[in-house]
Amino acid sequence: MRFTSNAAVHLAACLAIVALSLTGCNNSAAGNSGASAPARSGKSFELLNVSYDPTRELWKQLNEQFIAQYKQQTGHDVTIKQSHGGSSSQARAVIDGLEADVVTLAMVTDTEAVQKSGLIAADWSTRLPNGSLPYSSTIVFVVRKDNPKGVKDWNDLIKPDVQVITPNPKTSGNGKLSFLGAWGSVRLRGGSDEDALKLVTELYKHVPVLDSGARAATTTFAQKNIGDVHLTWENEAHLEVHESNGALEIVYPPISILAEPRVAWVDKNVEHKGTAEVAKAYLEFLYTEDAQRTIGRNFYRPSKAEILAEFREQFPTLQMFSIKELASDWAEADKRFFAEGAVFDSIYTKP
C-alpha cells in the first residue's frame, strides 16, 4: 500500500506541474523583457515569408534551423512557406492581400510601401537589431569563362560588342541596385550627373531583355546563354558560378552599391492569424550566431562584425557606397530614378 500511495502522490504532483505549464506559468524564457514565454502545449504554426528572388537557398537552410530550434525551446511545430519574385512585385502582392507573416524584401522602399498600406507598424525598422538589417550585400559581375570581353569595371559594360543581362529596375531590387551601381560608379569617382546619365543610357542599349526578377535573369544568362555579363547579387553570382561547372566566373568591380535588405513581421496579418510571437522569434533568430554563420556561408555579409570577420576571405575588398551618396534616402532615389516618367523611363527603349 505504501507503494500505491507514493505513486498516487507522484501522479498528482506531475498533473499539477502539467497544469501549471498549460496555464502559461512557466516564464523562464521571458528574460528581462516582461514577455511571457510560449507555453509548451505542442501547438502548430504556419508562417509565410515573402522574399525577393535569389534568397530561396538561404531561407531553406535558415528555416530548417529555426524550426528545429523553436521546437526544442517551446515544444511547438512550425511550417514555413516561401514566396519569391521581384521585390517590388512581391510588395505589391502583400499589399493586395497575400497574407505574409514576414517580409524579407530586397529594398527598404518595398517594405515601406507595405507599411504605408497599413499592414506594418510605423516603427518597424527599430524593432530588431541593426535597423532590422540581418545582412548586407552588393552587386557584382558574372562573365563567361576567362572573361573574353575583358569586363572589369562599369565602363566596360558599354563596349560595342558587350551584351548585358540585368533585371527590370521597375520590378526588381537587383535591377534597381544594378542601375544605381552604374550611376554611382560615375558620381563617386568625380563624374557629373550628366556623365552618369550618359553611361546608363548607353548601358541599357546593351541589354537585350529585362527579366522581372533576379532569378529569371540568372536563367537568361546561365541557362539560355544570352549575354556576356550578368549584373547580379553577390550571393547569386557565387551560386551561379558554382552551378556552371567552370563555365562562368565572378568579377568584382572596383566600386559598387551597398545593398541593405531589411526584414519585418507584418503586424496586421500576424495579429489576424495568431502568429505574432513565432514571427517575431523567427526574425530575431536571424541575429543568432548560428544563423549569422549560415548567412555567411551563403555569401551574404553578416551584420555581426565578429561573424563577418570569419568569412572575410570570401568577400574581396571593394568600395561600397550607400544610397545616401546619391539621394537623401531610398524614397527619394525611387522617385528620381524609377517612378513613372523618371530617369529610367526617359532612357529605356525596349529593344
Side-chain angles (χ1 to χ4, degrees):
M1 294 300 293
R2 176 182 295 273
F3 175 81
T4 303
S5 176
N6 287 343
V9 170
H10 179 70
L11 176 60
C14 289
L15 289 173
I17 292 170
V18 170
L20 285 172
S21 297
L22 291 176
T23 55
C25 292
N26 183 359
N27 294 329
S28 61
N32 296 323
S33 67
S36 296
R40 288 180 171 272
S41 57
K43 295 179 181 178
S44 295
F45 297 94
E46 181 177 286
L47 298 180
L48 174 60
N49 179 353
V50 175
S51 194
Y52 60 105
D53 235 353
T55 59
R56 293 167 173 82
E57 294 77 16
L58 173 66
W59 285 113
K60 182 177 185 295
Q61 295 176 38
L62 289 173
N63 291 348
E64 291 173 355
Q65 287 179 275
F66 173 75
I67 289 167
Q69 183 188 96
Y70 199 71
K71 175 71 170 180
Q72 182 180 36
Q73 292 177 347
T74 70
H76 301 327
D77 293 307
V78 184
T79 300
I80 304 174
K81 294 186 175 180
Q82 292 295 134
S83 174
H84 297 273
S87 186
S88 296
S89 299
Q90 292 289 82
R92 173 49 56 188
V94 174
I95 293 167
D96 289 344
L98 180 61
E99 289 197 331
D101 296 272
V102 301
V103 287
T104 58
L105 300 171
M107 310 299 299
V108 67
T109 46
D110 295 327
T111 308
E112 288 172 344
V114 180
Q115 181 262 310
K116 290 173 183 176
S117 76
L119 293 173
I120 298 177
D123 66 345
W124 69 271
S125 65
T126 66
R127 301 187 301 194
L128 292 165
N130 196 38
S132 296
L133 182 68
Y135 63 85
S136 60
S137 190
T138 191
I139 296 296
V140 300
F141 305 162
V142 180
V143 298
R144 306 294 174 189
K145 183 179 180 180
D146 298 325
N147 195 8
K149 299 298 177 71
V151 175
K152 298 178 180 180
D153 204 343
W154 296 90
N155 283 328
D156 295 326
L157 302 176
I158 61 172
K159 289 179 177 179
D161 60 344
V162 172
Q163 274 195 332
V164 179
I165 300 302
T166 182
N168 191 336
K170 306 281 279 189
T171 57
S172 165
N174 182 169
K176 285 184 171 70
L177 292 163
S178 296
F179 178 102
L180 293 170
W183 188 282
S185 75
V186 176
R187 295 291 285 116
L188 271 291
R189 292 189 283 198
S192 65
D193 280 343
E194 289 75 18
D195 295 330
L197 180 63
K198 182 178 180 181
L199 174 64
V200 297
T201 300
E202 183 61 29
L203 169 60
Y204 283 89
K205 293 178 182 177
H206 291 245
V207 178
V209 58
L210 281 180
D211 292 296
S212 62
R215 187 55 57 88
T218 297
T219 298
T220 295
F221 183 75
Q223 297 182 19
K224 297 181 180 178
N225 292 312
I226 298 172
D228 303 294
V229 55
H230 178 202
L231 313 184
T232 191
W233 294 91
E234 184 174 30
N235 62 284
E236 183 78 349
H238 280 277
L239 178 64
E240 192 173 347
V241 169
H242 174 73
E243 293 183 345
S244 76
N245 296 316
L248 302 174
E249 300 175 1
I250 298 176
V251 171
Y252 276 81
I255 185 171
S256 193
I257 190 167
L258 174 65
E260 298 179 304
R262 301 179 192 271
V263 300
W265 62 84
V266 184
D267 297 75
K268 291 292 185 182
N269 291 346
V270 298
E271 290 165 10
H272 169 69
K273 297 166 69 175
T275 55
E277 190 170 304
V278 65
K280 179 182 178 184
Y282 179 46
L283 296 186
E284 288 175 339
F285 164 74
L286 302 178
Y287 298 88
T288 65
E289 289 190 1
D290 285 348
Q292 288 280 293
R293 289 192 175 94
T294 297
I295 286 167
R297 285 193 293 271
N298 282 270
F299 295 96
Y300 300 80
R301 297 178 181 234
S303 62
K304 285 184 177 294
E306 63 272 24
I307 305 298
L308 176 61
E310 296 177 14
F311 294 90
R312 183 59 65 188
E313 290 186 3
Q314 74 182 31
F315 295 122
T317 300
L318 76 163
Q319 179 185 351
M320 286 192 286
F321 60 89
S322 78
I323 193 59
K324 292 185 177 180
E325 301 286 346
L326 304 179
S328 61
D329 55 24
W330 272 107
E332 181 189 329
D334 250 7
K335 182 177 180 180
R336 179 183 177 191
F337 294 106
F338 308 118
E340 292 301 314
V343 173
F344 180 74
D345 282 352
S346 73
I347 68 165
Y348 182 70
T349 303
K350 188 174 180 178

